[in-house]
Amino acid sequence: MRILLVEDEPAIREITASELRDSGYEVIEAETGDEALSFLDKGDLPDVLFTDIRLPGTADGWAVAEQFRAAKAS
């Protein structure tokens, strides 16, 4: 199972990604909402989205979640 982890705080992202990997998940990391949207635009969707809500850039976690949900529905 692949998880897209979106978190702007490096320490939180590293710890969370490490714990998820130790639990057997493949983790794709993004630091900003814009980076996450760019990944989702490529069409190779992860199984799960794990995102912070307040993110730097033009896209917050809600925008990422909405695009992820729409992409999964199509």
Side-chain angles (χ1 to χ4, degrees):
M1 180 176 287
R2 291 185 327 140
I3 299 173
L4 175 56
L5 170 63
V6 190
E7 173 57 59
D8 60 319
E9 292 293 330
I12 294 172
R13 190 176 61 252
E14 287 177 27
I15 291 168
T16 305
S18 178
E19 290 295 322
L20 289 168
R21 286 185 180 109
D22 288 349
S23 295
Y25 299 103
E26 178 184 345
V27 180
I28 301 130
E29 298 178 46
E31 186 174 351
T32 68
D34 299 324
E35 185 180 346
L37 291 178
S38 177
F39 178 82
L40 293 175
D41 284 342
K42 294 178 183 175
D44 187 17
L45 297 176
D47 300 297
V48 175
L49 172 66
F50 186 120
T51 186
D52 188 0
I53 296 300
R54 295 181 187 213
L55 296 165
T58 58
D60 63 10
W62 292 116
V64 175
E66 287 173 8
Q67 182 166 332
F68 176 74
R69 184 180 303 147
K72 284 297 226 182
S74 61

Short mmCIF file of all heavy atoms in Angstrom, two decimals:
data_model
loop_
_atom_site.label_atom_id
_atom_site.label_comp_id
_atom_site.label_asym_id
_atom_site.label_seq_id
_atom_site.Cartn_x
_atom_site.Cartn_y
_atom_site.Cartn_z
N MET A 1 0.84 -1.17 0.00
CA MET A 1 0.00 0.00 0.00
C MET A 1 0.89 1.24 0.00
O MET A 1 1.84 1.31 0.76
CB MET A 1 -0.91 0.01 1.23
CG MET A 1 -1.80 1.22 1.27
SD MET A 1 -2.97 1.23 2.63
CE MET A 1 -4.11 0.00 2.05
N ARG A 2 0.56 2.19 -0.89
CA ARG A 2 1.32 3.43 -0.99
C ARG A 2 0.57 4.59 -0.34
O ARG A 2 -0.63 4.76 -0.58
CB ARG A 2 1.60 3.78 -2.45
CG ARG A 2 2.57 2.82 -3.08
CD ARG A 2 2.96 3.18 -4.48
NE ARG A 2 1.91 3.84 -5.24
CZ ARG A 2 2.12 4.86 -6.06
NH1 ARG A 2 3.32 5.32 -6.25
NH2 ARG A 2 1.13 5.39 -6.73
N ILE A 3 1.31 5.38 0.43
CA ILE A 3 0.74 6.52 1.13
C ILE A 3 1.45 7.79 0.68
O ILE A 3 2.68 7.83 0.66
CB ILE A 3 0.89 6.36 2.66
CG1 ILE A 3 0.14 5.12 3.12
CG2 ILE A 3 0.39 7.61 3.38
CD1 ILE A 3 0.37 4.77 4.58
N LEU A 4 0.68 8.80 0.32
CA LEU A 4 1.23 10.12 0.05
C LEU A 4 1.16 10.91 1.34
O LEU A 4 0.07 11.20 1.84
CB LEU A 4 0.46 10.84 -1.07
CG LEU A 4 0.86 12.28 -1.36
CD1 LEU A 4 2.35 12.40 -1.69
CD2 LEU A 4 0.01 12.85 -2.49
N LEU A 5 2.32 11.23 1.91
CA LEU A 5 2.43 11.97 3.16
C LEU A 5 2.79 13.41 2.83
O LEU A 5 3.83 13.67 2.23
CB LEU A 5 3.51 11.34 4.04
CG LEU A 5 3.93 12.10 5.29
CD1 LEU A 5 2.76 12.26 6.26
CD2 LEU A 5 5.11 11.42 5.95
N VAL A 6 1.92 14.35 3.23
CA VAL A 6 2.15 15.77 2.95
C VAL A 6 2.28 16.50 4.29
O VAL A 6 1.32 16.61 5.04
CB VAL A 6 0.99 16.39 2.13
CG1 VAL A 6 1.36 17.79 1.66
CG2 VAL A 6 0.59 15.49 0.97
N GLU A 7 3.49 16.97 4.58
CA GLU A 7 3.78 17.64 5.85
C GLU A 7 4.94 18.60 5.65
O GLU A 7 5.97 18.20 5.11
CB GLU A 7 4.13 16.60 6.91
CG GLU A 7 4.62 17.13 8.23
CD GLU A 7 3.67 18.09 8.91
OE1 GLU A 7 2.52 17.69 9.20
OE2 GLU A 7 4.07 19.24 9.13
N ASP A 8 4.77 19.85 6.07
CA ASP A 8 5.80 20.85 5.86
C ASP A 8 6.86 20.89 6.95
O ASP A 8 7.96 21.40 6.73
CB ASP A 8 5.18 22.24 5.68
CG ASP A 8 4.38 22.70 6.87
OD1 ASP A 8 3.64 21.87 7.45
OD2 ASP A 8 4.46 23.88 7.23
N GLU A 9 6.60 20.34 8.11
CA GLU A 9 7.58 20.30 9.19
C GLU A 9 8.49 19.08 9.00
O GLU A 9 8.01 17.94 9.11
CB GLU A 9 6.88 20.23 10.55
CG GLU A 9 6.12 21.47 10.92
CD GLU A 9 7.02 22.67 11.16
OE1 GLU A 9 8.18 22.48 11.61
OE2 GLU A 9 6.57 23.79 10.91
N PRO A 10 9.77 19.31 8.70
CA PRO A 10 10.67 18.19 8.39
C PRO A 10 10.72 17.10 9.47
O PRO A 10 10.68 15.92 9.14
CB PRO A 10 12.04 18.86 8.22
CG PRO A 10 11.73 20.26 7.85
CD PRO A 10 10.46 20.60 8.57
N ALA A 11 10.81 17.49 10.73
CA ALA A 11 10.91 16.49 11.80
C ALA A 11 9.66 15.62 11.87
O ALA A 11 9.74 14.40 12.01
CB ALA A 11 11.17 17.16 13.14
N ILE A 12 8.50 16.24 11.78
CA ILE A 12 7.24 15.48 11.83
C ILE A 12 7.13 14.57 10.61
O ILE A 12 6.74 13.41 10.72
CB ILE A 12 6.03 16.44 11.91
CG1 ILE A 12 6.07 17.20 13.23
CG2 ILE A 12 4.72 15.67 11.75
CD1 ILE A 12 5.05 18.31 13.34
N ARG A 13 7.50 15.10 9.44
CA ARG A 13 7.44 14.30 8.21
C ARG A 13 8.38 13.10 8.31
O ARG A 13 8.01 11.97 7.98
CB ARG A 13 7.76 15.15 7.00
CG ARG A 13 7.50 14.46 5.67
CD ARG A 13 7.73 15.35 4.46
NE ARG A 13 9.10 15.83 4.37
CZ ARG A 13 9.48 17.09 4.61
NH1 ARG A 13 8.59 18.00 4.93
NH2 ARG A 13 10.75 17.44 4.50
N GLU A 14 9.60 13.32 8.79
CA GLU A 14 10.58 12.23 8.90
C GLU A 14 10.11 11.15 9.87
O GLU A 14 10.21 9.96 9.56
CB GLU A 14 11.93 12.78 9.36
CG GLU A 14 12.67 13.55 8.29
CD GLU A 14 13.97 14.14 8.80
OE1 GLU A 14 14.55 13.57 9.75
OE2 GLU A 14 14.40 15.17 8.26
N ILE A 15 9.63 11.55 11.03
CA ILE A 15 9.18 10.57 12.03
C ILE A 15 7.98 9.79 11.52
O ILE A 15 7.91 8.56 11.63
CB ILE A 15 8.84 11.28 13.37
CG1 ILE A 15 10.12 11.79 14.03
CG2 ILE A 15 8.07 10.34 14.31
CD1 ILE A 15 9.88 12.73 15.17
N THR A 16 7.01 10.50 10.94
CA THR A 16 5.81 9.85 10.44
C THR A 16 6.15 8.89 9.30
O THR A 16 5.68 7.75 9.28
CB THR A 16 4.78 10.90 9.97
OG1 THR A 16 4.51 11.79 11.06
CG2 THR A 16 3.48 10.23 9.53
N ALA A 17 6.97 9.35 8.36
CA ALA A 17 7.36 8.49 7.24
C ALA A 17 8.10 7.26 7.73
O ALA A 17 7.85 6.14 7.25
CB ALA A 17 8.22 9.28 6.26
N SER A 18 8.98 7.44 8.69
CA SER A 18 9.74 6.32 9.23
C SER A 18 8.82 5.29 9.89
O SER A 18 8.97 4.08 9.68
CB SER A 18 10.77 6.83 10.25
OG SER A 18 11.47 5.77 10.82
N GLU A 19 7.88 5.76 10.69
CA GLU A 19 6.94 4.85 11.35
C GLU A 19 6.07 4.10 10.34
O GLU A 19 5.83 2.90 10.48
CB GLU A 19 6.05 5.61 12.33
CG GLU A 19 6.77 6.12 13.56
CD GLU A 19 7.30 4.99 14.44
OE1 GLU A 19 6.62 3.96 14.58
OE2 GLU A 19 8.41 5.15 14.99
N LEU A 20 5.63 4.81 9.31
CA LEU A 20 4.81 4.16 8.28
C LEU A 20 5.63 3.12 7.51
O LEU A 20 5.15 2.01 7.25
CB LEU A 20 4.23 5.20 7.33
CG LEU A 20 3.13 6.09 7.92
CD1 LEU A 20 2.83 7.27 6.99
CD2 LEU A 20 1.88 5.30 8.21
N ARG A 21 6.86 3.47 7.16
CA ARG A 21 7.72 2.51 6.46
C ARG A 21 8.02 1.29 7.33
O ARG A 21 8.02 0.17 6.84
CB ARG A 21 9.01 3.19 6.01
CG ARG A 21 8.81 4.11 4.83
CD ARG A 21 10.12 4.68 4.31
NE ARG A 21 9.86 5.56 3.19
CZ ARG A 21 9.98 6.89 3.23
NH1 ARG A 21 10.41 7.49 4.32
NH2 ARG A 21 9.68 7.62 2.16
N ASP A 22 8.28 1.53 8.61
CA ASP A 22 8.52 0.42 9.54
C ASP A 22 7.31 -0.49 9.65
O ASP A 22 7.44 -1.67 9.99
CB ASP A 22 8.91 0.94 10.92
CG ASP A 22 10.31 1.53 10.96
OD1 ASP A 22 11.07 1.36 9.98
OD2 ASP A 22 10.64 2.19 11.98
N SER A 23 6.13 0.05 9.37
CA SER A 23 4.90 -0.73 9.42
C SER A 23 4.61 -1.42 8.09
O SER A 23 3.57 -2.06 7.93
CB SER A 23 3.72 0.16 9.81
OG SER A 23 3.89 0.65 11.13
N GLY A 24 5.51 -1.24 7.12
CA GLY A 24 5.39 -1.96 5.86
C GLY A 24 4.78 -1.18 4.70
O GLY A 24 4.53 -1.76 3.64
N TYR A 25 4.54 0.11 4.89
CA TYR A 25 3.95 0.92 3.82
C TYR A 25 5.02 1.57 2.96
O TYR A 25 6.10 1.91 3.44
CB TYR A 25 3.05 2.01 4.41
CG TYR A 25 1.90 1.45 5.20
CD1 TYR A 25 1.92 1.46 6.59
CD2 TYR A 25 0.81 0.89 4.56
CE1 TYR A 25 0.88 0.94 7.32
CE2 TYR A 25 -0.25 0.36 5.29
CZ TYR A 25 -0.21 0.39 6.66
OH TYR A 25 -1.24 -0.14 7.39
N GLU A 26 4.69 1.77 1.70
CA GLU A 26 5.53 2.58 0.81
C GLU A 26 5.07 4.02 0.99
O GLU A 26 3.87 4.29 0.90
CB GLU A 26 5.35 2.14 -0.63
CG GLU A 26 6.15 2.95 -1.61
CD GLU A 26 5.88 2.57 -3.06
OE1 GLU A 26 5.28 1.51 -3.31
OE2 GLU A 26 6.25 3.37 -3.93
N VAL A 27 5.99 4.93 1.24
CA VAL A 27 5.63 6.32 1.53
C VAL A 27 6.25 7.25 0.49
O VAL A 27 7.44 7.20 0.22
CB VAL A 27 6.11 6.73 2.94
CG1 VAL A 27 5.74 8.18 3.23
CG2 VAL A 27 5.53 5.81 4.00
N ILE A 28 5.40 8.11 -0.05
CA ILE A 28 5.83 9.18 -0.95
C ILE A 28 5.68 10.45 -0.14
O ILE A 28 4.61 10.72 0.41
CB ILE A 28 4.96 9.25 -2.21
CG1 ILE A 28 5.02 7.92 -2.96
CG2 ILE A 28 5.37 10.40 -3.10
CD1 ILE A 28 3.68 7.38 -3.30
N GLU A 29 6.75 11.25 -0.05
CA GLU A 29 6.73 12.45 0.78
C GLU A 29 6.62 13.71 -0.07
O GLU A 29 7.24 13.81 -1.11
CB GLU A 29 8.00 12.53 1.62
CG GLU A 29 8.17 11.38 2.58
CD GLU A 29 9.45 11.47 3.37
OE1 GLU A 29 9.79 12.57 3.87
OE2 GLU A 29 10.15 10.44 3.47
N ALA A 30 5.80 14.65 0.43
CA ALA A 30 5.70 15.97 -0.18
C ALA A 30 5.75 17.01 0.94
O ALA A 30 5.16 16.81 2.00
CB ALA A 30 4.40 16.11 -0.96
N GLU A 31 6.46 18.10 0.68
CA GLU A 31 6.64 19.14 1.69
C GLU A 31 5.56 20.22 1.61
O GLU A 31 5.27 20.88 2.59
CB GLU A 31 8.02 19.77 1.52
CG GLU A 31 8.38 20.76 2.58
CD GLU A 31 9.81 21.25 2.46
OE1 GLU A 31 10.58 20.70 1.66
OE2 GLU A 31 10.14 22.21 3.17
N THR A 32 4.97 20.40 0.44
CA THR A 32 3.95 21.43 0.25
C THR A 32 2.73 20.85 -0.45
O THR A 32 2.81 19.79 -1.08
CB THR A 32 4.49 22.60 -0.61
OG1 THR A 32 4.71 22.11 -1.95
CG2 THR A 32 5.77 23.19 -0.05
N GLY A 33 1.64 21.58 -0.36
CA GLY A 33 0.45 21.17 -1.09
C GLY A 33 0.67 21.20 -2.58
O GLY A 33 0.20 20.34 -3.32
N ASP A 34 1.42 22.19 -3.04
CA ASP A 34 1.72 22.30 -4.47
C ASP A 34 2.51 21.09 -4.96
O ASP A 34 2.24 20.57 -6.05
CB ASP A 34 2.49 23.59 -4.76
CG ASP A 34 1.69 24.84 -4.38
OD1 ASP A 34 0.46 24.84 -4.56
OD2 ASP A 34 2.31 25.81 -3.91
N GLU A 35 3.47 20.65 -4.16
CA GLU A 35 4.25 19.46 -4.52
C GLU A 35 3.36 18.22 -4.58
O GLU A 35 3.47 17.39 -5.47
CB GLU A 35 5.38 19.27 -3.51
CG GLU A 35 6.34 18.16 -3.84
CD GLU A 35 7.44 18.01 -2.80
OE1 GLU A 35 7.64 18.90 -1.95
OE2 GLU A 35 8.11 16.96 -2.85
N ALA A 36 2.45 18.11 -3.62
CA ALA A 36 1.53 16.98 -3.60
C ALA A 36 0.60 16.99 -4.82
O ALA A 36 0.37 15.96 -5.45
CB ALA A 36 0.70 16.99 -2.32
N LEU A 37 0.09 18.18 -5.17
CA LEU A 37 -0.78 18.28 -6.34
C LEU A 37 -0.03 17.92 -7.62
O LEU A 37 -0.58 17.26 -8.50
CB LEU A 37 -1.36 19.69 -6.46
CG LEU A 37 -2.38 20.08 -5.39
CD1 LEU A 37 -2.83 21.52 -5.62
CD2 LEU A 37 -3.56 19.14 -5.36
N SER A 38 1.22 18.32 -7.70
CA SER A 38 2.04 17.97 -8.85
C SER A 38 2.18 16.45 -8.98
O SER A 38 2.08 15.90 -10.07
CB SER A 38 3.41 18.64 -8.73
OG SER A 38 4.24 18.25 -9.79
N PHE A 39 2.39 15.80 -7.86
CA PHE A 39 2.48 14.34 -7.87
C PHE A 39 1.15 13.72 -8.31
O PHE A 39 1.12 12.82 -9.14
CB PHE A 39 2.88 13.81 -6.49
CG PHE A 39 2.93 12.32 -6.45
CD1 PHE A 39 4.06 11.63 -6.90
CD2 PHE A 39 1.86 11.58 -5.98
CE1 PHE A 39 4.09 10.25 -6.89
CE2 PHE A 39 1.89 10.20 -5.97
CZ PHE A 39 3.01 9.53 -6.43
N LEU A 40 0.04 14.21 -7.77
CA LEU A 40 -1.28 13.67 -8.12
C LEU A 40 -1.59 13.89 -9.60
O LEU A 40 -2.24 13.05 -10.23
CB LEU A 40 -2.36 14.30 -7.25
CG LEU A 40 -2.32 13.95 -5.76
CD1 LEU A 40 -3.39 14.74 -5.00
CD2 LEU A 40 -2.49 12.45 -5.53
N ASP A 41 -1.12 15.00 -10.16
CA ASP A 41 -1.36 15.30 -11.58
C ASP A 41 -0.71 14.28 -12.50
O ASP A 41 -1.13 14.13 -13.65
CB ASP A 41 -0.86 16.70 -11.93
CG ASP A 41 -1.77 17.80 -11.42
OD1 ASP A 41 -2.95 17.51 -11.11
OD2 ASP A 41 -1.30 18.95 -11.32
N LYS A 42 0.31 13.59 -12.03
CA LYS A 42 1.00 12.60 -12.84
C LYS A 42 0.15 11.36 -13.08
O LYS A 42 0.44 10.56 -13.95
CB LYS A 42 2.33 12.21 -12.20
CG LYS A 42 3.33 13.34 -12.17
CD LYS A 42 4.60 12.93 -11.49
CE LYS A 42 5.55 14.12 -11.41
NZ LYS A 42 6.75 13.79 -10.65
N GLY A 43 -0.91 11.18 -12.25
CA GLY A 43 -1.84 10.08 -12.47
C GLY A 43 -1.50 8.78 -11.78
O GLY A 43 -2.31 7.87 -11.78
N ASP A 44 -0.34 8.66 -11.20
CA ASP A 44 0.05 7.44 -10.50
C ASP A 44 -0.37 7.60 -9.04
O ASP A 44 0.45 7.94 -8.17
CB ASP A 44 1.56 7.21 -10.62
CG ASP A 44 2.00 5.88 -10.05
OD1 ASP A 44 1.13 4.99 -9.86
OD2 ASP A 44 3.20 5.73 -9.79
N LEU A 45 -1.65 7.39 -8.77
CA LEU A 45 -2.22 7.72 -7.46
C LEU A 45 -1.81 6.75 -6.36
O LEU A 45 -1.78 5.54 -6.56
CB LEU A 45 -3.75 7.72 -7.55
CG LEU A 45 -4.37 8.76 -8.48
CD1 LEU A 45 -5.87 8.57 -8.54
CD2 LEU A 45 -4.02 10.15 -8.02
N PRO A 46 -1.54 7.31 -5.17
CA PRO A 46 -1.30 6.45 -4.02
C PRO A 46 -2.63 5.87 -3.54
O PRO A 46 -3.71 6.29 -3.98
CB PRO A 46 -0.73 7.42 -2.98
CG PRO A 46 -1.31 8.74 -3.35
CD PRO A 46 -1.45 8.72 -4.85
N ASP A 47 -2.56 4.92 -2.63
CA ASP A 47 -3.78 4.32 -2.08
C ASP A 47 -4.41 5.20 -1.01
O ASP A 47 -5.62 5.23 -0.85
CB ASP A 47 -3.45 2.95 -1.48
CG ASP A 47 -2.88 2.01 -2.51
OD1 ASP A 47 -3.60 1.69 -3.47
OD2 ASP A 47 -1.70 1.62 -2.37
N VAL A 48 -3.55 5.91 -0.27
CA VAL A 48 -4.00 6.70 0.88
C VAL A 48 -3.30 8.06 0.87
O VAL A 48 -2.12 8.16 0.51
CB VAL A 48 -3.66 5.97 2.20
CG1 VAL A 48 -4.01 6.81 3.42
CG2 VAL A 48 -4.35 4.63 2.27
N LEU A 49 -4.04 9.08 1.30
CA LEU A 49 -3.48 10.41 1.49
C LEU A 49 -3.43 10.71 2.98
O LEU A 49 -4.42 10.53 3.68
CB LEU A 49 -4.34 11.47 0.78
CG LEU A 49 -3.98 12.92 1.05
CD1 LEU A 49 -2.61 13.26 0.47
CD2 LEU A 49 -5.05 13.84 0.50
N PHE A 50 -2.27 11.16 3.48
CA PHE A 50 -2.08 11.54 4.87
C PHE A 50 -1.52 12.96 4.81
O PHE A 50 -0.36 13.15 4.46
CB PHE A 50 -1.09 10.58 5.51
CG PHE A 50 -0.88 10.73 6.98
CD1 PHE A 50 -1.17 9.69 7.83
CD2 PHE A 50 -0.36 11.89 7.53
CE1 PHE A 50 -0.95 9.80 9.20
CE2 PHE A 50 -0.14 12.02 8.88
CZ PHE A 50 -0.43 10.97 9.72
N THR A 51 -2.35 13.97 5.11
CA THR A 51 -1.92 15.35 4.90
C THR A 51 -2.18 16.26 6.09
O THR A 51 -3.17 16.11 6.81
CB THR A 51 -2.59 15.95 3.65
OG1 THR A 51 -2.04 17.25 3.40
CG2 THR A 51 -4.09 16.06 3.79
N ASP A 52 -1.26 17.19 6.25
CA ASP A 52 -1.45 18.32 7.14
C ASP A 52 -2.45 19.23 6.44
O ASP A 52 -2.62 19.16 5.22
CB ASP A 52 -0.10 19.03 7.31
CG ASP A 52 -0.11 20.11 8.38
OD1 ASP A 52 -1.15 20.35 9.00
OD2 ASP A 52 0.96 20.73 8.58
N ILE A 53 -3.12 20.10 7.17
CA ILE A 53 -4.09 21.01 6.56
C ILE A 53 -3.43 22.35 6.20
O ILE A 53 -3.59 22.85 5.10
CB ILE A 53 -5.31 21.23 7.47
CG1 ILE A 53 -6.07 19.92 7.65
CG2 ILE A 53 -6.22 22.32 6.92
CD1 ILE A 53 -6.59 19.30 6.37
N ARG A 54 -2.68 22.90 7.12
CA ARG A 54 -2.01 24.19 6.88
C ARG A 54 -0.65 23.93 6.27
O ARG A 54 0.24 23.41 6.94
CB ARG A 54 -1.89 24.97 8.17
CG ARG A 54 -3.23 25.36 8.71
CD ARG A 54 -3.10 26.15 9.96
NE ARG A 54 -4.45 26.36 10.51
CZ ARG A 54 -4.81 27.42 11.15
NH1 ARG A 54 -3.93 28.39 11.36
NH2 ARG A 54 -6.03 27.54 11.61
N LEU A 55 -0.51 24.30 5.01
CA LEU A 55 0.71 24.05 4.26
C LEU A 55 1.16 25.32 3.55
O LEU A 55 0.32 26.14 3.17
CB LEU A 55 0.48 22.96 3.20
CG LEU A 55 0.11 21.58 3.71
CD1 LEU A 55 -0.45 20.72 2.58
CD2 LEU A 55 1.32 20.92 4.33
N PRO A 56 2.46 25.48 3.35
CA PRO A 56 2.93 26.64 2.58
C PRO A 56 2.59 26.48 1.10
O PRO A 56 2.38 25.37 0.63
CB PRO A 56 4.45 26.61 2.81
CG PRO A 56 4.77 25.20 3.12
CD PRO A 56 3.56 24.63 3.82
N GLY A 57 2.56 27.59 0.40
CA GLY A 57 2.27 27.55 -1.03
C GLY A 57 0.83 27.92 -1.30
O GLY A 57 0.12 28.42 -0.44
N THR A 58 0.38 27.64 -2.51
CA THR A 58 -0.98 28.04 -2.90
C THR A 58 -2.03 27.01 -2.56
O THR A 58 -3.21 27.33 -2.53
CB THR A 58 -1.02 28.33 -4.42
OG1 THR A 58 -0.62 27.16 -5.12
CG2 THR A 58 -0.11 29.48 -4.79
N ALA A 59 -1.65 25.77 -2.31
CA ALA A 59 -2.61 24.71 -2.02
C ALA A 59 -2.47 24.24 -0.58
O ALA A 59 -1.37 23.89 -0.14
CB ALA A 59 -2.40 23.53 -2.96
N ASP A 60 -3.58 24.25 0.15
CA ASP A 60 -3.55 23.71 1.51
C ASP A 60 -3.97 22.24 1.48
O ASP A 60 -4.23 21.68 0.42
CB ASP A 60 -4.45 24.53 2.45
CG ASP A 60 -5.93 24.52 2.06
OD1 ASP A 60 -6.32 23.72 1.18
OD2 ASP A 60 -6.69 25.31 2.64
N GLY A 61 -4.04 21.62 2.64
CA GLY A 61 -4.39 20.21 2.72
C GLY A 61 -5.78 19.90 2.21
O GLY A 61 -6.03 18.82 1.68
N TRP A 62 -6.71 20.86 2.38
CA TRP A 62 -8.07 20.65 1.87
C TRP A 62 -8.06 20.53 0.35
O TRP A 62 -8.74 19.66 -0.21
CB TRP A 62 -9.01 21.77 2.30
CG TRP A 62 -9.29 21.81 3.77
CD1 TRP A 62 -8.94 22.79 4.64
CD2 TRP A 62 -9.94 20.80 4.55
NE1 TRP A 62 -9.34 22.47 5.91
CE2 TRP A 62 -9.96 21.25 5.88
CE3 TRP A 62 -10.51 19.57 4.26
CZ2 TRP A 62 -10.53 20.52 6.92
CZ3 TRP A 62 -11.06 18.82 5.29
CH2 TRP A 62 -11.08 19.30 6.60
N ALA A 63 -7.30 21.39 -0.31
CA ALA A 63 -7.21 21.36 -1.78
C ALA A 63 -6.59 20.04 -2.25
O ALA A 63 -7.05 19.45 -3.23
CB ALA A 63 -6.40 22.54 -2.30
N VAL A 64 -5.57 19.59 -1.54
CA VAL A 64 -4.94 18.31 -1.89
C VAL A 64 -5.94 17.17 -1.72
O VAL A 64 -6.08 16.31 -2.59
CB VAL A 64 -3.68 18.07 -1.03
CG1 VAL A 64 -3.10 16.69 -1.31
CG2 VAL A 64 -2.63 19.14 -1.29
N ALA A 65 -6.66 17.19 -0.60
CA ALA A 65 -7.65 16.14 -0.34
C ALA A 65 -8.76 16.13 -1.39
O ALA A 65 -9.19 15.06 -1.85
CB ALA A 65 -8.25 16.31 1.05
N GLU A 66 -9.22 17.31 -1.79
CA GLU A 66 -10.27 17.39 -2.81
C GLU A 66 -9.79 16.82 -4.14
O GLU A 66 -10.52 16.08 -4.79
CB GLU A 66 -10.72 18.83 -2.98
CG GLU A 66 -11.55 19.34 -1.82
CD GLU A 66 -11.86 20.82 -1.92
OE1 GLU A 66 -11.56 21.45 -2.96
OE2 GLU A 66 -12.39 21.36 -0.94
N GLN A 67 -8.56 17.15 -4.54
CA GLN A 67 -8.05 16.63 -5.81
C GLN A 67 -7.83 15.12 -5.71
O GLN A 67 -8.10 14.39 -6.66
CB GLN A 67 -6.75 17.33 -6.22
CG GLN A 67 -6.26 16.82 -7.57
CD GLN A 67 -5.20 17.68 -8.20
OE1 GLN A 67 -5.17 18.89 -7.95
NE2 GLN A 67 -4.35 17.10 -8.99
N PHE A 68 -7.33 14.66 -4.58
CA PHE A 68 -7.11 13.23 -4.39
C PHE A 68 -8.44 12.49 -4.49
O PHE A 68 -8.56 11.48 -5.19
CB PHE A 68 -6.45 12.98 -3.03
CG PHE A 68 -6.27 11.53 -2.69
CD1 PHE A 68 -5.29 10.78 -3.32
CD2 PHE A 68 -7.07 10.92 -1.74
CE1 PHE A 68 -5.10 9.43 -3.00
CE2 PHE A 68 -6.89 9.60 -1.42
CZ PHE A 68 -5.91 8.84 -2.05
N ARG A 69 -9.46 12.97 -3.81
CA ARG A 69 -10.79 12.35 -3.83
C ARG A 69 -11.36 12.33 -5.24
O ARG A 69 -11.89 11.31 -5.69
CB ARG A 69 -11.74 13.07 -2.90
CG ARG A 69 -13.10 12.39 -2.81
CD ARG A 69 -14.05 13.10 -1.87
NE ARG A 69 -13.48 13.21 -0.55
CZ ARG A 69 -13.68 14.22 0.26
NH1 ARG A 69 -14.44 15.23 -0.10
NH2 ARG A 69 -13.13 14.25 1.45
N ALA A 70 -11.24 13.44 -5.97
CA ALA A 70 -11.76 13.50 -7.33
C ALA A 70 -11.02 12.53 -8.24
O ALA A 70 -11.63 11.88 -9.09
CB ALA A 70 -11.64 14.93 -7.86
N ALA A 71 -9.71 12.46 -8.09
CA ALA A 71 -8.92 11.56 -8.93
C ALA A 71 -9.26 10.10 -8.64
O ALA A 71 -9.32 9.28 -9.56
CB ALA A 71 -7.43 11.81 -8.70
N LYS A 72 -9.50 9.77 -7.39
CA LYS A 72 -9.85 8.40 -7.03
C LYS A 72 -11.24 8.02 -7.55
O LYS A 72 -11.49 6.87 -7.88
CB LYS A 72 -9.81 8.22 -5.51
CG LYS A 72 -8.44 8.10 -4.93
CD LYS A 72 -7.72 6.90 -5.44
CE LYS A 72 -7.05 6.14 -4.34
NZ LYS A 72 -6.30 4.99 -4.82
N ALA A 73 -12.13 9.01 -7.63
CA ALA A 73 -13.50 8.75 -8.08
C ALA A 73 -13.58 8.54 -9.59
O ALA A 73 -14.54 7.93 -10.07
CB ALA A 73 -14.41 9.90 -7.66
N SER A 74 -12.61 9.06 -10.32
CA SER A 74 -12.70 8.96 -11.79
C SER A 74 -12.03 7.71 -12.32
O SER A 74 -11.45 6.93 -11.70
CB SER A 74 -12.08 10.18 -12.44
OG SER A 74 -10.72 10.31 -12.12
#
